[in-house]
Amino acid sequence: GACSGCPHAARFAWAEALCRKARRIDQRNKPNEHTALVDRWITHPLWGAGIFLLVMGTLFQTLFILAETPMEWIEEGFAWLAQAMDSLLPEGLLNSFIVDGIITGMAGTVVFLPQICLLFFLIALLEDTGYLARAAFVVDRWMVKVGLPGRAFIPMLSAHACAIPAIMSTRIIENPRDRLVTILILPLLSCSARIPVYVMVTAMLFADRPLLAGLIFTAAYFLGLCAAFCMAWVFKKTLLKGDATPLLIELPDYKLPSLRTAVWTAFDRGMLFLKRVAGIILLIIVALWALATFPQMDIEQLNADALQQLEVLETGEDPIVAENWLAAQQLEQSIAGRMGQALQPLFAPLGFDWQMTVGVLASFAAREVIASTLAVLHGMGEDGGEDMAGVAERLRDAVDPAAGLSLLVFFVLAMQCLPTQVVTRRETGKWKWALLQFTYMTLLAYTAAYATYQIGTRLLA
C-alpha cells in the first residue's frame, strides 16, 4: 500500500482494488469445457469450412423463405398505387412519367427491401453469437496461403457492407505490400449495393424454388470471395511478391444474440437503402424515363411493313396487343433504345439484350439501379404500364435463364462504383492502382460472364 502522506495514495488504492476485482472476474470466467469442445469442430480446418458453408447457405435460404410474403405485400401496394394514379391522371406524358417512370422504377427496387433488411438482421444475429470470429479464424488459413495478411479480415468483413470504409480501414495493416493487395481485392467482395441485384436475379429465375435461390445467392457471395483469393494469389506471384502476416485474434465467448441490436441494424441498413432509392436512384429513374420516352414516335414515320403489321394487330380481337406493340416500337426508337442497340453487340456474347445493356451502363452510377432500369424498360415496352403486379415475375418472363446467370456473375465481379475508385487513388496515392483495379475487375467480370452464358446456354438447352 501507499503511505498516508503520499498525494497519489488514493490513485494507487483504486488501481489495486481494480486489479483484485479483475482477478475475481477472471476466476469466475474460467475456460468453458463445452465452448472448447464446440470450437474444436467450428475451427477445424476441414469441418470448420464445411460448417461455415452450411451456416451461410442456411442463412440465405431462410432469407428467401421469410421475405416472400412481405415482397408480395409491397408489390400489391405499388400495383394499387399505379392503378389509382392511372385512373386519376389523363393519358399522356404526365401519366407515363408517374406510372411508367416513378412508380414502376421505385417498385423495381423497393420490392427487394424485405430481403435486404432480413439479410442484415440475420448476419447481426450471427455476429452477436460470437461465430463470425470463428469464421475469421477458419478463413485465415486460406488467406495466408494466397498472400493476404491476417489483419485483412476486418476490412474484408466490412467490405460486405461497403468497399469504401473497408479500403479506408486497411490503414490498420502496417506492411505496405499487404495493404496494397488488400485494397486491390476488396471491391470483389459482395457489398450491400450488390444485394438488390443478387436478389433480383435469383427472384427472377427461381421465385418458386427458394432452396435453389438460396444456393445461387450463396454461390454469388462465395464467387466474390473466391475471386478475391485468386487475385490475391495472382498479385503475390506477379506484381506484389511476398509473404503475408498471419492473423492473431481473440475468440469471444458464445452468447445469446441481442434481438434489439439485430433489429436496429436491419432498420439502419434499410433506411440507408431507402435514402439511396429516394436520392440518386430516383434521379436515374427520371433520366431513364426521359431517355426511353423521347423523341416521341410519329406513327406516320413507320415503314410500310411496320404499318401493315400495326393494321393487322389493330384488327385483332385484343386491342391491347396493338398498344403494347406501339409501346415497344416507341421504346426501341427512343434515345435509350438507340444507345442500347448501338452498344448491345459488345455485350451480346454475354447474352445481354439491349435493355440489359442499358441497365448495365446505368448501374455504373449506382449498382442497385439495374432493377429499376429493367422494370422501367420492360414495363414501358411490354405492358404499357397496365399491369404493375409481379415485378419479379414480369422480369423473369423477359430474361433468359442463362443470360440472367451471366448478369449475376458480371455484377459479382465488375467494378461499378466510381467513388470506390476515388478512395483507392486517395489511399494508394496513385491513379495507376485505381486504373489497374478497374481494368482487371472489368476483364474478369466480362470473361466470367461470357463463360457462364456459354456454358449455361448448353446446359439449359
Side-chain angles (χ1 to χ4, degrees), residues 54-130:
L54 179 63
V55 167
M56 298 307 292
T58 303
L59 183 147
F60 291 133
Q61 289 167 21
T62 303
L63 165 72
F64 277 90
I65 294 172
L66 295 181
E68 184 176 355
T69 299
M71 285 182 69
E72 291 176 356
W73 292 343
I74 292 176
E75 285 192 331
E76 291 171 359
F78 274 104
W80 176 86
L81 181 60
Q83 292 171 2
M85 295 303 298
D86 190 46
S87 61
L88 287 174
L89 298 172
E91 290 188 10
L93 286 178
L94 181 60
N95 184 304
S96 176
F97 175 71
I98 299 296
V99 177
D100 298 330
I102 301 297
I103 297 178
T104 301
M106 296 287 278
T109 301
V110 176
V111 69
F112 303 111
L113 178 63
Q115 289 175 319
I116 293 168
C117 292
L118 277 169
L119 176 63
F120 285 106
F121 174 79
L122 294 173
I123 288 178
L125 289 179
L126 196 61
E127 183 177 11
D128 215 16
T129 62

Side-chain angles (χ1 to χ4, degrees), residues 252-284:
D253 293 332
Y254 290 107
K255 65 175 183 177
L256 289 175
S258 169
L259 287 176
R260 180 180 179 182
T261 301
V263 169
W264 175 253
T265 301
F267 175 79
D268 181 57
R269 293 296 179 181
M271 292 304 297
L272 286 174
F273 176 71
L274 288 178
K275 287 178 181 177
R276 286 180 63 85
V277 171
I280 185 172
I281 292 179
L282 180 59
L283 292 175
I284 295 174

Side-chain angles (χ1 to χ4, degrees), residues 33-226:
E33 294 181 3
H34 297 293
T35 298
L37 179 62
V38 173
D39 281 346
R40 202 170 300 162
W41 287 90
I42 294 292
T43 61
H44 190 274
L46 179 59
W47 306 121
I51 291 172
F52 180 51
L53 291 172
L54 179 63
V55 167
M56 298 307 292
T58 303
L59 183 147
F60 291 133
Q61 289 167 21
T62 303
L63 165 72
F64 277 90
I65 294 172
L66 295 181
E68 184 176 355
T69 299
M71 285 182 69
E72 291 176 356
W73 292 343
I74 292 176
E75 285 192 331
E76 291 171 359
F78 274 104
W80 176 86
L81 181 60
Q83 292 171 2
M85 295 303 298
D86 190 46
S87 61
L88 287 174
L89 298 172
E91 290 188 10
L93 286 178
L94 181 60
N95 184 304
S96 176
F97 175 71
I98 299 296
V99 177
D100 298 330
I102 301 297
I103 297 178
T104 301
M106 296 287 278
T109 301
V110 176
V111 69
F112 303 111
L113 178 63
Q115 289 175 319
I116 293 168
C117 292
L118 277 169
L119 176 63
F120 285 106
F121 174 79
L122 294 173
I123 288 178
L125 289 179
L126 196 61
E127 183 177 11
D128 215 16
T129 62
Y131 173 73
L132 285 188
R134 274 82 180 173
F137 183 78
V138 172
V139 175
D140 176 63
R141 294 188 178 96
W142 299 94
M143 291 172 59
V144 173
K145 291 180 180 179
V146 299
L148 283 171
R151 286 195 173 189
F153 181 79
I154 302 303
M156 290 175 71
L157 190 61
S158 63
H160 285 88
C162 180
I164 292 175
I167 291 174
M168 296 174 67
S169 68
T170 59
R171 295 172 186 175
I172 65 173
I173 303 174
E174 298 176 357
N175 186 292
R177 178 261 171 207
D178 290 353
R179 182 168 182 250
L180 183 54
V181 171
T182 306
I183 289 174
L184 290 175
I185 60 94
L186 280 177
L188 286 169
L189 301 172
S190 296
C191 66
S192 59
R194 286 182 170 110
I195 292 175
V197 183
Y198 298 176
V199 169
M200 181 197 71
V201 175
T202 49
M204 281 194 305
L205 301 178
F206 313 108
D208 54 345
R209 291 176 286 178
L211 178 62
L212 187 56
L215 290 174
I216 296 296
F217 202 111
T218 306
Y221 257 75
F222 280 97
L223 174 61
L225 184 64
C226 292

Side-chain angles (χ1 to χ4, degrees), residues 400-414:
D400 175 68
L405 291 175
S406 172
L407 181 69
L408 179 63
V409 170
F410 187 87
F411 270 84
V412 170
L413 302 175

